[in-house]
Amino acid sequence: MEHLPVMFAEALQQLAIKEDGVYLDCTFGRGGHSQGILNLLGPSGRLLAFDRDLDAINSDYAQAMLEDKRFKLKHTHFSALENIVVSEGLAGKVDGILMDLGVSSPQLDNPERGFSFLRDGPLDMRMDGNSGVTAEQWLAGVDEKALVKVLFEYGEERFARRIARAIVEKRAVSPITTTRELAKLIEDVVPGKEKHKHPATRSFQAIRIEINSELDELKAVLQQSARILKPGGRLVVISFHSLEDRIVKRFIRAESGAKYNPGKLPIKEIDIAKGILKITGKALKAGAQEIAQNPRARSAVMRVAERV
């Protein structure tokens, strides 16, 4: 397979794949990680992959991989993970779970999906193009204060108020319908320019996260992942921005070691709830060679935990 996803070798290594193991790829994308896992599985191994994007599900590479009887692919979002694993009879039998978060290269590369400010297309941004409101619809009706909050919290955008005001003023005259139109509006109101960063980067990220409920979905799937892993099973998460990574880091930390419970006094060791994960090493970053070949890898952070 030509396409290698970010931190491909590291992901396979950290999953510690067993030939007869059961693995989940929560973000199928172009199938790079899934194919790598399948290559390391024996005849009795199983891989269950997920994607909320029908373009990924219906792609030629996905259909080719489905000829492998060890592989199943489901069209769903993160928060449905546990229900599907239970329905497949795999709860407590999962040896490894992989998540490669954020927007995929095919989504960015297709102007019709509306994820990229570098290509002109309809202002969509939905991971699942068959459900939910588009970015255009959301921007047409969102309250100005709510818009400021999204831009500031999800995009960490310093000029959130200025951008929100400009969007509200523009939509009062005519709707904002294309990616280029929105990107130009933001570019015009943001003072100064960051080196190597388009002024619309943070806003596009924030709007995408909001309309796809990405952070809520991430929090839900992390909780579910810990429950469905078997003892010794690995959770491997690759994040691409600080908001995602912070959620992953805090979750793993909260689920590793003892949990203090102030409900009983005096506190006895036996009464303290134990976390169900342990941290496996430090956070990993992509190597210099990979970053040179794929600049997107520069912001990638991999965190690994093991079920105890």
Side-chain angles (χ1 to χ4, degrees):
M1 182 167 288
E2 291 180 11
H3 168 73
L4 283 185
V6 169
M7 301 187 76
F8 175 78
E10 293 90 340
L12 298 183
Q13 181 183 14
Q14 293 302 322
L15 283 169
I17 292 167
K18 302 177 218 170
E19 285 194 1
D20 61 348
V22 175
Y23 295 90
L24 308 181
D25 181 355
C26 296
T27 42
F28 178 75
R30 275 193 204 168
H33 283 130
S34 283
Q35 187 63 65
I37 293 167
L38 278 175
N39 291 345
L40 295 172
L41 289 177
S44 60
R46 287 189 67 181
L47 172 63
L48 182 58
F50 306 85
D51 209 295
R52 65 195 290 189
D53 188 344
L54 269 177
D55 285 358
I57 300 289
N58 296 327
S59 63
D60 291 342
Y61 42 85
Q63 297 309 306
M65 288 175 66
L66 283 166
E67 294 178 14
D68 191 324
K69 300 302 180 192
R70 301 169 301 167
F71 178 64
K72 278 190 178 180
L73 180 58
K74 301 280 188 181
H75 174 230
T76 190
H77 43 81
F78 276 172
S79 55
L81 178 76
E82 190 169 19
N83 285 339
I84 290 174
V85 169
V86 169
S87 71
E88 292 286 329
L90 298 175
K93 299 178 183 177
V94 177
D95 292 282
I97 300 172
L98 175 64
M99 300 176 204
D100 180 6
L101 304 176
V103 65
S104 70
S105 298
Q107 288 168 333
L108 281 171
D109 294 342
N110 182 355
E112 292 303 307
R113 301 302 300 274
F115 286 105
S116 176
F117 45 78
L118 298 175
R119 298 170 176 84
D120 198 23
L123 203 51
D124 194 318
M125 295 197 202
R126 291 172 298 169
M127 297 283 191
D128 182 350
N130 284 31
S131 65
V133 299
T134 65
E136 178 187 342
Q137 290 167 332
W138 184 76
L139 283 173
V142 65
D143 174 75
E144 185 175 344
K145 283 185 180 176
L147 179 54
V148 171
K149 190 170 187 280
V150 166
L151 296 176
F152 185 74
E153 291 186 4
Y154 294 166
E156 299 175 302
E157 174 55 71
R158 287 182 299 155
F159 303 107
R161 284 190 177 84
R162 194 176 296 205
I163 294 167
R165 171 93 314 249
I167 287 171
V168 169
E169 287 175 354
K170 170 68 174 67
R171 77 185 185 194
V173 179
S174 61
I176 304 166
T177 61
T178 71
T179 52
R180 184 144 309 156
E181 196 178 358
L182 178 60
K184 180 70 170 63
L185 182 151
I186 294 167
E187 196 172 9
D188 288 345
V189 299
V190 170
K193 301 292 180 279
E194 284 183 73
K195 199 174 181 182
H196 308 307
K197 197 163 200 170
H198 192 284
T201 303
R202 292 189 177 92
S203 296
F204 268 65
Q205 171 189 293
I207 295 165
R208 188 201 83 218
I209 287 172
E210 168 65 20
I211 69 165
N212 291 292
S213 303
E214 289 179 41
L215 301 187
D216 290 337
E217 287 284 315
L218 175 58
K219 289 171 187 174
V221 80
L222 288 171
Q223 293 287 347
Q224 294 176 24
S225 296
R227 292 195 293 267
I228 61 179
L229 279 170
K230 69 193 286 189
R234 292 280 184 95
L235 172 64
V236 178
V237 187
I238 305 168
S239 307
F240 288 88
H241 62 73
S242 58
L243 290 174
E244 291 171 339
D245 183 51
R246 206 174 298 142
I247 290 169
V248 176
K249 181 180 179 180
R250 285 175 179 169
F251 170 76
I252 292 174
R253 186 189 291 157
E255 285 298 335
S256 56
K259 294 178 167 186
Y260 172 61
N261 177 8
K264 287 184 177 181
L265 289 173
I267 300 293
K268 297 178 184 175
E269 181 69 24
I270 197 170
D271 295 327
I272 299 176
K274 302 295 191 294
I276 58 175
L277 296 176
K278 69 175 181 181
I279 299 169
T280 306
K282 294 181 178 178
L284 302 172
K285 298 283 190 82
Q289 185 177 345
E290 180 177 4
I291 291 170
Q293 292 171 342
N294 180 6
R296 184 172 177 250
R298 187 183 295 112
S299 58
V301 179
M302 178 184 288
R303 294 190 186 273
V304 185
E306 188 174 295
R307 179 77 152 86
V308 295

